[in-house]
Amino acid sequence: MKASLLKLVVCPGCKSRLVLNDGRTETGGNEILEGRLDCLGCRRGFPIRNGIPVLLVSADYQELISGSFGFQWRMKRIKMFEAKTVYGRGAEKTLADFYERLSLRPEEVHGKRILDAGCGSGMLVHALSAAGCEVVGVDLSHPIEAFELNRGLSNAHIVTADIFQLPFEDGTFDVVWSEGVLHHTPDPPKAFKSLQQILKRGGTGYVWVYSKSPRERIRKWFHTPDLPGWLLVLLCYLLVAPYAICQGLRIIMSFRGTAFAFFDALSPRYQSAHGRKEVQGWFQSAGFERIDTTEDRGTFWQAVWGAGVKK
């Protein structure tokens, strides 16, 4: 954690200011590796672990979500799944999709403050920080991989936080991006409202969720959140071969990348699918304009994404 993050974060419970106590900074670097952030309002304390502030107010669903995704990213870190890509996309493609889907040019986001809600590996955070943005990546699982990728970058921050209790004041960000996250929460519309609250007026919001399709029914058939992690990893690899045959051997992603996508679809406790009109309604009810909702069809999934500008 960089000390500069203190100007952005607040207590996720009462939204009061946080102060650093017992901070231990790495030798020769700018990351605070251990310590505690104390709330001046409600007096809660939030630990800093391995460089990542854990800004969570306890809720029953948090462990159900973080357990699955934490295991998934640990498996990726030890190269059980794809190593340099995420769902078959590298940093260059990820950044290009960001600009295209938001209808923005690189110069339009330079110097802006951006939130990646559900940052996973931290690839987008890293790419945007290199483009001159101040970026905060939040994830409910403890995102060690994202921290290590962005370690030492003065304009990149990684935080453990809950999308329903975000540790930011209203109107903090110029862009709020959330890809593949809301459908893995217990209440996607509520999660969307939480995201739009911290977006500035005139700012751009984006979400990507699973869409209702025949593939959604297949995911439900194989949905096995209670299966032990290692057995689920094995099942995902076993499913790649028959899936490849069904696709006529046209798997765009790598073998390990396809297994990674299977794990992401089969392991989470919460999983929902949404229609294009439904997603558009989220933006409309939150007072967005210039709304664009688009069907997104991949080799493994079908989704709908939406973007708009907050009035």
Side-chain angles (χ1 to χ4, degrees), residues 7-94:
K7 74 178 187 294
L8 295 179
V9 294
V10 294
C11 173
C14 71
K15 302 297 183 180
S16 296
R17 181 184 165 211
L18 298 174
V19 294
L20 174 66
N21 283 310
D22 304 322
R24 180 175 66 82
T25 304
E26 64 181 343
T27 303
N30 65 346
E31 295 284 358
I32 301 167
L33 298 181
E34 304 292 337
R36 190 179 71 253
L37 296 176
D38 291 329
C39 175
L40 294 179
C42 65
R43 303 299 177 182
R44 287 187 177 96
F46 303 94
I48 303 169
R49 297 175 183 156
N50 301 313
I52 306 172
V54 183
L55 301 178
L56 294 175
V57 178
S58 181
D60 293 340
Y61 57 82
Q62 289 176 352
E63 187 174 347
L64 295 174
I65 296 173
S66 64
S68 167
F69 286 101
F71 183 86
Q72 178 179 354
W73 292 110
R74 287 197 300 274
M75 292 299 98
K76 186 180 187 303
R77 193 161 65 248
I78 63 173
K79 297 181 171 54
M80 283 298 297
F81 295 123
E82 54 189 323
K84 296 183 179 180
T85 58
V86 178
Y87 309 119
R89 294 188 304 174
E92 186 175 340
K93 172 62 174 170
T94 298

Coordinates of all heavy atoms in Angstrom, one line a residue, residues 7-94:
K7 N -5.5 9.3 0.8 CA -6.3 10.5 0.3 C -7.6 10.0 -0.4 O -8.5 10.8 -0.6 CB -5.5 11.4 -0.6 CG -5.2 10.9 -1.9 CD -4.5 11.9 -2.8 CE -4.3 11.5 -4.2 NZ -3.5 10.3 -4.4
L8 N -7.6 8.7 -0.7 CA -8.7 8.1 -1.5 C -9.7 7.3 -0.6 O -10.9 7.3 -0.9 CB -8.2 7.3 -2.6 CG -7.4 7.9 -3.7 CD1 -7.0 6.9 -4.8 CD2 -8.2 9.0 -4.4
V9 N -9.2 6.5 0.3 CA -10.0 5.6 1.0 C -10.6 6.2 2.3 O -10.1 7.1 2.9 CB -9.2 4.3 1.4 CG1 -8.8 3.5 0.1 CG2 -8.0 4.6 2.2
V10 N -11.8 5.6 2.6 CA -12.5 6.0 3.9 C -12.9 4.7 4.5 O -12.8 3.6 3.9 CB -13.7 6.9 3.6 CG1 -13.2 8.3 3.1 CG2 -14.7 6.3 2.7
C11 N -13.4 4.8 5.7 CA -14.0 3.6 6.4 C -15.2 3.0 5.6 O -16.1 3.8 5.3 CB -14.4 4.0 7.8 SG -15.3 2.6 8.7
P12 N -15.2 1.8 5.2 CA -16.3 1.2 4.5 C -17.6 1.1 5.3 O -18.7 1.0 4.7 CB -15.8 -0.2 4.1 CG -14.8 -0.5 5.2 CD -14.1 0.8 5.5
G13 N -17.5 1.2 6.6 CA -18.6 1.2 7.5 C -19.3 2.5 7.6 O -20.5 2.7 7.4
C14 N -18.5 3.6 8.1 CA -19.2 4.9 8.4 C -18.7 6.0 7.5 O -19.1 7.1 7.7 CB -18.9 5.2 9.9 SG -17.2 5.7 10.2
K15 N -17.7 5.7 6.6 CA -17.2 6.7 5.6 C -16.4 7.8 6.2 O -16.2 8.9 5.7 CB -18.4 7.3 4.8 CG -19.2 6.3 4.0 CD -18.4 5.5 3.0 CE -19.2 4.6 2.2 NZ -18.5 3.9 1.1
S16 N -15.9 7.5 7.4 CA -15.0 8.5 8.1 C -13.6 8.3 7.6 O -13.2 7.3 7.0 CB -15.1 8.4 9.6 OG -16.4 8.7 10.1
R17 N -12.7 9.3 8.0 CA -11.3 9.3 7.5 C -10.6 8.1 8.2 O -10.9 7.8 9.4 CB -10.7 10.6 7.9 CG -9.3 10.8 7.5 CD -8.7 12.1 8.0 NE -7.3 12.1 7.9 CZ -6.5 12.8 8.8 NH1 -7.0 13.5 9.7 NH2 -5.2 12.7 8.6
L18 N -9.6 7.6 7.5 CA -8.7 6.6 8.1 C -7.3 7.2 8.3 O -6.8 8.0 7.5 CB -8.6 5.4 7.1 CG -9.9 4.6 6.8 CD1 -9.7 3.6 5.7 CD2 -10.4 4.0 8.0
V19 N -6.7 6.7 9.3 CA -5.3 7.1 9.6 C -4.4 5.8 9.7 O -4.9 4.8 10.2 CB -5.2 7.9 10.9 CG1 -5.9 9.3 10.7 CG2 -5.7 7.2 12.1
L20 N -3.1 6.0 9.4 CA -2.2 4.8 9.4 C -1.6 4.7 10.8 O -1.1 5.7 11.3 CB -1.1 5.0 8.3 CG 0.0 4.0 8.3 CD1 -0.5 2.6 8.0 CD2 1.1 4.5 7.3
N21 N -1.5 3.5 11.3 CA -0.8 3.2 12.6 C 0.0 2.0 12.4 O -0.3 1.1 11.7 CB -1.8 3.0 13.7 CG -2.4 4.3 14.3 OD1 -1.7 5.2 14.5 ND2 -3.7 4.4 14.4
D22 N 1.2 2.0 13.0 CA 2.1 0.9 13.1 C 2.5 0.4 11.7 O 2.7 -0.7 11.4 CB 1.5 -0.3 13.8 CG 1.1 0.0 15.2 OD1 1.8 0.8 15.9 OD2 0.0 -0.4 15.7
G23 N 2.7 1.4 10.7 CA 3.0 1.0 9.4 C 4.5 0.7 9.2 O 5.4 1.3 9.8
R24 N 4.8 -0.4 8.5 CA 6.1 -0.9 8.3 C 6.4 -0.8 6.8 O 5.7 -1.6 6.0 CB 6.4 -2.3 8.8 CG 7.8 -2.8 8.5 CD 8.0 -4.1 9.2 NE 7.2 -5.2 8.6 CZ 7.6 -5.8 7.4 NH1 8.7 -5.5 6.8 NH2 6.8 -6.8 6.9
T25 N 7.2 0.1 6.3 CA 7.5 0.3 4.9 C 8.6 -0.6 4.4 O 9.6 -0.8 5.2 CB 7.8 1.7 4.6 OG1 6.7 2.5 5.1 CG2 7.9 2.0 3.1
E26 N 8.5 -1.2 3.2 CA 9.6 -2.0 2.7 C 10.9 -1.2 2.5 O 10.9 0.0 2.3 CB 9.2 -2.6 1.3 CG 9.0 -1.6 0.2 CD 8.6 -2.2 -1.1 OE1 8.8 -3.4 -1.2 OE2 8.1 -1.4 -2.0
T27 N 12.0 -1.9 2.7 CA 13.3 -1.2 2.6 C 13.6 -0.8 1.1 O 13.5 -1.6 0.2 CB 14.5 -2.2 3.0 OG1 14.2 -2.6 4.3 CG2 15.8 -1.5 2.9
G28 N 13.9 0.5 0.9 CA 14.2 1.0 -0.4 C 13.0 1.1 -1.3 O 13.1 1.3 -2.5
G29 N 11.8 1.0 -0.8 CA 10.6 1.1 -1.6 C 9.5 2.0 -1.0 O 9.8 2.6 0.0
N30 N 8.4 2.1 -1.7 CA 7.3 3.0 -1.2 C 6.1 2.2 -0.7 O 5.0 2.9 -0.5 CB 7.0 4.0 -2.3 CG 6.3 3.4 -3.5 OD1 6.4 2.1 -3.7 ND2 5.8 4.2 -4.4
E31 N 6.2 0.9 -0.6 CA 5.0 0.1 -0.2 C 5.0 -0.1 1.3 O 6.0 -0.5 1.9 CB 5.0 -1.2 -0.9 CG 4.9 -1.2 -2.4 CD 3.4 -0.9 -2.8 OE1 2.5 -0.7 -2.0 OE2 3.2 -0.8 -4.1
I32 N 3.9 0.2 2.0 CA 3.7 -0.1 3.4 C 3.2 -1.6 3.4 O 2.1 -1.9 2.9 CB 2.6 0.8 4.0 CG1 3.1 2.3 3.9 CG2 2.4 0.5 5.5 CD1 2.0 3.3 4.2
L33 N 4.0 -2.4 3.9 CA 3.7 -3.9 3.9 C 2.9 -4.4 5.0 O 2.1 -5.3 4.8 CB 5.0 -4.7 3.8 CG 6.0 -4.4 2.7 CD1 7.2 -5.2 2.8 CD2 5.2 -4.6 1.3
E34 N 3.0 -3.8 6.2 CA 2.2 -4.2 7.3 C 1.8 -3.0 8.1 O 2.5 -2.0 8.1 CB 3.0 -5.2 8.2 CG 3.6 -6.4 7.5 CD 2.5 -7.4 7.1 OE1 1.4 -7.4 7.7 OE2 2.7 -8.2 6.2
G35 N 0.7 -3.1 8.9 CA 0.3 -2.0 9.7 C -1.2 -2.1 9.9 O -1.8 -3.1 9.7
R36 N -1.8 -0.9 10.2 CA -3.2 -0.9 10.5 C -3.8 0.5 10.1 O -3.2 1.5 10.3 CB -3.5 -1.2 12.0 CG -4.9 -1.4 12.4 CD -5.1 -1.7 13.8 NE -4.9 -0.5 14.6 CZ -3.8 -0.3 15.4 NH1 -2.8 -1.2 15.4 NH2 -3.7 0.9 16.1
L37 N -5.0 0.5 9.5 CA -5.7 1.7 9.2 C -6.8 1.8 10.2 O -7.7 0.9 10.3 CB -6.2 1.7 7.8 CG -5.2 1.7 6.7 CD1 -5.9 1.6 5.3 CD2 -4.3 2.9 6.8
D38 N -6.8 2.9 11.0 CA -7.9 3.1 12.0 C -8.8 4.2 11.6 O -8.5 5.2 11.1 CB -7.2 3.5 13.4 CG -6.4 2.4 14.0 OD1 -6.8 1.2 13.8 OD2 -5.4 2.7 14.6
C39 N -10.1 3.9 11.9 CA -11.2 4.8 11.5 C -11.3 5.9 12.7 O -11.4 5.5 13.8 CB -12.5 4.1 11.3 SG -13.9 5.2 11.0
L40 N -11.4 7.1 12.3 CA -11.5 8.2 13.3 C -13.0 8.4 13.7 O -13.3 9.1 14.7 CB -11.0 9.5 12.7 CG -9.5 9.6 12.4 CD1 -9.1 10.9 11.9 CD2 -8.7 9.3 13.7
G41 N -13.9 7.7 13.0 CA -15.3 7.8 13.3 C -15.8 6.7 14.2 O -16.0 6.8 15.4
C42 N -15.9 5.5 13.7 CA -16.4 4.3 14.4 C -15.4 3.6 15.2 O -15.7 2.6 15.9 CB -17.2 3.4 13.5 SG -16.2 2.6 12.2
R43 N -14.1 3.9 15.0 CA -12.9 3.3 15.7 C -12.6 1.9 15.2 O -11.9 1.2 15.9 CB -13.2 3.4 17.2 CG -13.4 4.8 17.8 CD -12.2 5.7 17.5 NE -12.5 7.0 18.0 CZ -11.6 8.0 17.9 NH1 -10.5 7.8 17.3 NH2 -11.9 9.2 18.3
R44 N -13.2 1.5 14.1 CA -12.7 0.2 13.6 C -11.3 0.2 13.2 O -10.8 1.3 12.8 CB -13.6 -0.2 12.4 CG -15.0 -0.6 12.7 CD -15.7 -1.1 11.4 NE -17.0 -1.6 11.6 CZ -18.1 -0.9 11.3 NH1 -18.0 0.3 10.9 NH2 -19.3 -1.4 11.5
G45 N -10.6 -0.9 13.2 CA -9.3 -1.0 12.7 C -9.2 -2.0 11.5 O -9.9 -3.1 11.6
F46 N -8.5 -1.7 10.5 CA -8.4 -2.5 9.3 C -6.9 -2.9 9.1 O -6.1 -1.9 8.9 CB -8.9 -1.8 8.1 CG -10.4 -1.3 8.3 CD1 -10.7 -0.1 8.7 CD2 -11.4 -2.2 8.0 CE1 -12.0 0.3 8.9 CE2 -12.7 -1.8 8.2 CZ -13.0 -0.5 8.7
P47 N -6.6 -4.1 9.0 CA -5.1 -4.5 8.8 C -4.6 -4.3 7.4 O -5.4 -4.3 6.4 CB -5.2 -6.0 9.2 CG -6.5 -6.5 8.7 CD -7.4 -5.3 9.1
I48 N -3.3 -4.1 7.3 CA -2.6 -4.1 6.1 C -1.8 -5.4 6.1 O -0.9 -5.6 6.9 CB -1.6 -2.9 5.9 CG1 -2.4 -1.6 6.1 CG2 -0.9 -2.9 4.6 CD1 -1.6 -0.4 6.2
R49 N -2.0 -6.3 5.1 CA -1.4 -7.6 5.1 C -0.6 -7.8 3.8 O -1.3 -7.7 2.7 CB -2.4 -8.7 5.3 CG -3.1 -8.7 6.6 CD -4.2 -9.8 6.7 NE -4.9 -9.7 7.9 CZ -6.2 -10.2 8.1 NH1 -6.8 -10.7 7.0 NH2 -6.8 -10.1 9.2
N50 N 0.6 -8.0 3.9 CA 1.5 -8.2 2.6 C 1.3 -7.1 1.6 O 1.2 -7.3 0.4 CB 1.1 -9.5 2.0 CG 1.3 -10.7 2.9 OD1 2.4 -10.8 3.6 ND2 0.4 -11.6 3.0
G51 N 1.2 -5.9 2.2 CA 1.1 -4.7 1.3 C -0.3 -4.3 0.9 O -0.5 -3.3 0.2
I52 N -1.3 -5.1 1.3 CA -2.7 -4.9 0.8 C -3.6 -4.5 2.0 O -3.7 -5.3 2.9 CB -3.3 -6.1 0.1 CG1 -2.4 -6.6 -1.0 CG2 -4.7 -5.8 -0.4 CD1 -2.8 -7.9 -1.6
P53 N -4.2 -3.3 2.0 CA -5.2 -3.0 3.1 C -6.4 -3.8 2.9 O -7.0 -3.9 1.8 CB -5.4 -1.5 2.8 CG -5.1 -1.2 1.4 CD -4.0 -2.2 1.0
V54 N -6.9 -4.4 4.0 CA -8.1 -5.2 4.0 C -9.2 -4.4 4.6 O -9.4 -4.3 5.8 CB -7.8 -6.5 4.8 CG1 -9.1 -7.4 4.8 CG2 -6.6 -7.2 4.3
L55 N -10.0 -3.7 3.8 CA -11.0 -2.8 4.2 C -12.4 -3.4 4.1 O -13.2 -3.2 3.2 CB -10.9 -1.5 3.3 CG -9.6 -0.8 3.4 CD1 -9.6 0.5 2.5 CD2 -9.3 -0.4 4.8
L56 N -12.6 -4.4 5.0 CA -13.8 -5.1 5.0 C -14.6 -5.0 6.3 O -14.0 -5.0 7.4 CB -13.5 -6.6 4.9 CG -12.9 -7.1 3.5 CD1 -12.6 -8.6 3.6 CD2 -13.9 -6.8 2.4
V57 N -15.9 -4.8 6.2 CA -16.8 -4.9 7.3 C -17.5 -6.3 7.1 O -18.1 -6.5 6.1 CB -17.9 -3.8 7.3 CG1 -18.9 -4.0 8.5 CG2 -17.2 -2.4 7.4
S58 N -17.5 -7.1 8.1 CA -17.9 -8.5 7.9 C -19.3 -8.7 7.4 O -20.2 -7.9 7.8 CB -17.7 -9.2 9.3 OG -18.1 -10.6 9.2
A59 N -19.5 -9.6 6.5 CA -20.8 -10.0 6.0 C -20.8 -11.5 5.7 O -19.7 -12.1 5.3 CB -21.2 -9.2 4.8
D60 N -21.9 -12.2 5.8 CA -22.0 -13.6 5.7 C -21.5 -14.1 4.3 O -20.8 -15.2 4.2 CB -23.4 -14.1 5.9 CG -23.8 -14.0 7.3 OD1 -23.0 -13.8 8.2 OD2 -25.1 -14.0 7.6
Y61 N -21.8 -13.4 3.2 CA -21.5 -13.8 1.9 C -20.0 -13.7 1.5 O -19.6 -14.3 0.5 CB -22.3 -13.0 0.9 CG -22.1 -11.6 1.0 CD1 -21.0 -10.9 0.4 CD2 -23.0 -10.8 1.7 CE1 -20.8 -9.6 0.5 CE2 -22.8 -9.4 1.8 CZ -21.7 -8.8 1.2 OH -21.5 -7.5 1.3
Q62 N -19.2 -12.9 2.2 CA -17.9 -12.6 1.8 C -17.0 -13.8 1.7 O -16.3 -14.0 0.7 CB -17.2 -11.6 2.8 CG -17.8 -10.2 2.7 CD -17.3 -9.2 3.7 OE1 -16.6 -9.6 4.6 NE2 -17.6 -7.9 3.5
E63 N -17.1 -14.7 2.7 CA -16.2 -15.9 2.7 C -16.6 -16.8 1.5 O -15.8 -17.5 0.9 CB -16.3 -16.6 4.0 CG -15.3 -17.8 4.1 CD -15.3 -18.4 5.5 OE1 -15.8 -17.8 6.4 OE2 -14.7 -19.5 5.6
L64 N -17.9 -16.9 1.2 CA -18.4 -17.7 0.2 C -17.9 -17.3 -1.2 O -17.6 -18.1 -2.1 CB -19.9 -17.7 0.1 CG -20.7 -18.3 1.3 CD1 -22.2 -18.1 1.2 CD2 -20.4 -19.8 1.5
I65 N -17.7 -16.0 -1.4 CA -17.2 -15.4 -2.6 C -15.7 -15.5 -2.7 O -15.0 -16.0 -3.6 CB -17.7 -14.0 -2.8 CG1 -19.2 -13.9 -3.0 CG2 -17.0 -13.4 -4.1 CD1 -19.7 -12.5 -3.0
S66 N -15.0 -15.0 -1.6 CA -13.6 -14.9 -1.6 C -12.9 -16.2 -1.6 O -11.8 -16.4 -2.2 CB -13.1 -14.1 -0.4 OG -13.4 -14.7 0.8
G67 N -13.5 -17.3 -1.0 CA -12.9 -18.6 -0.9 C -12.7 -19.2 -2.3 O -11.6 -19.6 -2.6
S68 N -13.7 -19.1 -3.1 CA -13.6 -19.7 -4.5 C -12.6 -18.9 -5.3 O -11.7 -19.5 -6.0 CB -15.0 -19.6 -5.2 OG -14.9 -19.9 -6.5
F69 N -12.7 -17.6 -5.4 CA -11.9 -16.8 -6.3 C -10.4 -16.7 -5.7 O -9.5 -16.6 -6.5 CB -12.5 -15.4 -6.5 CG -13.6 -15.4 -7.4 CD1 -14.9 -15.4 -6.9 CD2 -13.5 -15.6 -8.8 CE1 -16.0 -15.4 -7.8 CE2 -14.5 -15.6 -9.6 CZ -15.8 -15.6 -9.1
G70 N -10.3 -16.7 -4.4 CA -8.9 -16.7 -3.9 C -8.2 -18.0 -4.3 O -7.0 -17.9 -4.7
F71 N -8.9 -19.2 -4.2 CA -8.3 -20.4 -4.7 C -7.9 -20.4 -6.2 O -6.9 -20.8 -6.6 CB -9.2 -21.6 -4.4 CG -8.6 -22.9 -4.7 CD1 -7.8 -23.6 -3.9 CD2 -8.9 -23.5 -6.0 CE1 -7.3 -24.9 -4.2 CE2 -8.4 -24.7 -6.3 CZ -7.6 -25.4 -5.4
Q72 N -8.9 -19.8 -6.9 CA -8.7 -19.7 -8.4 C -7.4 -18.9 -8.8 O -6.6 -19.4 -9.6 CB -9.9 -19.1 -9.0 CG -9.8 -18.9 -10.5 CD -11.0 -18.3 -11.1 OE1 -12.0 -18.0 -10.4 NE2 -11.0 -18.0 -12.4
W73 N -7.2 -17.8 -8.1 CA -6.1 -16.9 -8.4 C -4.8 -17.5 -7.9 O -3.7 -17.4 -8.5 CB -6.3 -15.5 -7.9 CG -7.4 -14.8 -8.7 CD1 -8.6 -14.5 -8.2 CD2 -7.3 -14.4 -10.1 NE1 -9.3 -13.9 -9.2 CE2 -8.6 -13.9 -10.4 CE3 -6.4 -14.5 -11.1 CZ2 -8.9 -13.4 -11.6 CZ3 -6.7 -14.0 -12.4 CH2 -7.9 -13.5 -12.6
R74 N -4.9 -18.3 -6.8 CA -3.7 -19.0 -6.3 C -3.2 -20.1 -7.3 O -2.0 -20.3 -7.5 CB -3.9 -19.6 -4.9 CG -4.0 -18.6 -3.8 CD -3.9 -19.3 -2.4 NE -4.9 -20.3 -2.2 CZ -6.1 -20.0 -1.7 NH1 -6.4 -18.7 -1.4 NH2 -7.0 -20.9 -1.5
M75 N -4.2 -20.8 -7.9 CA -3.9 -21.8 -8.9 C -3.3 -21.1 -10.1 O -2.3 -21.7 -10.7 CB -5.1 -22.6 -9.3 CG -5.7 -23.5 -8.2 SD -4.6 -24.8 -7.6 CE -3.9 -24.0 -6.1
K76 N -3.7 -20.0 -10.5 CA -3.1 -19.3 -11.6 C -1.7 -18.9 -11.3 O -0.8 -19.0 -12.2 CB -4.0 -18.1 -12.0 CG -3.5 -17.4 -13.3 CD -4.3 -16.2 -13.6 CE -4.0 -15.6 -15.0 NZ -2.5 -15.2 -15.0
R77 N -1.5 -18.4 -10.1 CA -0.2 -18.0 -9.7 C 0.9 -19.1 -9.7 O 2.0 -18.8 -10.1 CB -0.2 -17.3 -8.3 CG 1.0 -16.6 -7.9 CD 0.8 -15.6 -6.7 NE 0.4 -16.3 -5.5 CZ -0.8 -16.2 -4.9 NH1 -1.7 -15.6 -5.5 NH2 -1.0 -16.8 -3.8
I78 N 0.5 -20.3 -9.4 CA 1.4 -21.4 -9.5 C 1.4 -22.1 -10.9 O 1.8 -23.2 -11.0 CB 1.2 -22.4 -8.4 CG1 -0.2 -23.1 -8.5 CG2 1.4 -21.8 -7.0 CD1 -0.4 -24.2 -7.5
K79 N 0.7 -21.4 -11.8 CA 0.7 -21.9 -13.2 C -0.1 -23.2 -13.5 O 0.2 -23.9 -14.4 CB 2.2 -22.0 -13.8 CG 2.9 -20.7 -13.8 CD 4.3 -20.9 -14.4 CE 5.0 -19.6 -14.6 NZ 5.1 -18.7 -13.4
M80 N -1.1 -23.4 -12.6 CA -2.0 -24.5 -12.9 C -3.0 -24.1 -14.0 O -3.5 -25.0 -14.7 CB -2.8 -24.8 -11.7 CG -2.1 -25.7 -10.6 SD -1.5 -27.3 -11.2 CE -3.1 -28.1 -11.6
F81 N -3.1 -22.8 -14.2 CA -3.9 -22.3 -15.3 C -3.0 -21.4 -16.2 O -1.8 -21.4 -16.0 CB -5.1 -21.5 -14.8 CG -6.1 -22.4 -14.1 CD1 -6.5 -22.0 -12.8 CD2 -6.7 -23.5 -14.7 CE1 -7.4 -22.8 -12.1 CE2 -7.6 -24.2 -14.0 CZ -8.0 -23.9 -12.7
E82 N -3.6 -20.7 -17.2 CA -2.8 -19.9 -18.1 C -1.9 -18.9 -17.2 O -2.3 -18.4 -16.2 CB -3.7 -19.1 -19.0 CG -4.8 -18.3 -18.3 CD -5.9 -17.7 -19.2 OE1 -5.5 -17.3 -20.3 OE2 -7.0 -17.7 -18.8
A83 N -0.7 -18.6 -17.8 CA 0.2 -17.8 -17.0 C 0.2 -16.4 -17.3 O 0.0 -15.5 -16.5 CB 1.6 -18.4 -17.2
K84 N 0.4 -16.0 -18.6 CA 0.6 -14.6 -19.0 C -0.7 -13.9 -19.5 O -0.7 -12.7 -19.8 CB 1.7 -14.5 -20.0 CG 3.0 -14.9 -19.5 CD 4.1 -14.7 -20.6 CE 5.5 -15.1 -20.0 NZ 6.6 -14.9 -21.0
T85 N -1.8 -14.7 -19.7 CA -3.0 -14.1 -20.1 C -4.1 -14.4 -19.1 O -4.0 -15.2 -18.2 CB -3.4 -14.8 -21.5 OG1 -3.6 -16.2 -21.3 CG2 -2.4 -14.5 -22.6
V86 N -5.3 -13.7 -19.3 CA -6.5 -14.0 -18.5 C -7.6 -14.2 -19.4 O -8.0 -13.3 -20.2 CB -6.7 -12.8 -17.5 CG1 -8.0 -13.0 -16.7 CG2 -5.6 -12.5 -16.6
Y87 N -8.1 -15.5 -19.4 CA -9.2 -15.9 -20.3 C -8.7 -15.6 -21.8 O -9.5 -15.2 -22.6 CB -10.5 -15.2 -20.1 CG -10.9 -15.3 -18.6 CD1 -11.1 -14.1 -17.8 CD2 -11.1 -16.5 -18.0 CE1 -11.5 -14.2 -16.5 CE2 -11.5 -16.6 -16.7 CZ -11.7 -15.4 -15.9 OH -12.0 -15.5 -14.6
G88 N -7.5 -15.9 -22.0 CA -6.9 -15.8 -23.4 C -6.5 -14.4 -23.8 O -6.0 -14.2 -24.9
R89 N -6.7 -13.4 -23.0 CA -6.3 -12.0 -23.3 C -5.1 -11.6 -22.6 O -5.0 -11.7 -21.4 CB -7.5 -11.1 -23.0 CG -8.7 -11.3 -23.8 CD -9.7 -10.2 -23.6 NE -10.1 -10.0 -22.2 CZ -10.8 -9.1 -21.7 NH1 -11.3 -8.1 -22.5 NH2 -11.1 -9.0 -20.4
G90 N -4.2 -10.9 -23.3 CA -3.0 -10.3 -22.8 C -3.3 -8.9 -22.4 O -4.4 -8.4 -22.6
A91 N -2.3 -8.2 -21.9 CA -2.4 -6.8 -21.4 C -2.8 -5.9 -22.6 O -3.7 -5.0 -22.4 CB -1.1 -6.3 -20.8
E92 N -2.2 -6.1 -23.8 CA -2.5 -5.2 -24.9 C -4.0 -5.3 -25.3 O -4.6 -4.3 -25.5 CB -1.6 -5.5 -26.1 CG -1.7 -4.6 -27.2 CD -0.7 -4.9 -28.3 OE1 0.3 -5.5 -28.1 OE2 -1.0 -4.5 -29.5
K93 N -4.5 -6.5 -25.4 CA -5.9 -6.7 -25.8 C -6.8 -6.2 -24.7 O -7.9 -5.6 -25.0 CB -6.1 -8.2 -26.1 CG -7.6 -8.6 -26.3 CD -8.2 -8.0 -27.5 CE -9.6 -8.5 -27.8 NZ -10.3 -7.8 -28.8
T94 N -6.5 -6.4 -23.5 CA -7.3 -6.0 -22.3 C -7.4 -4.5 -22.4 O -8.5 -3.9 -22.2 CB -6.7 -6.4 -21.0 OG1 -6.6 -7.9 -21.0 CG2 -7.5 -5.9 -19.8

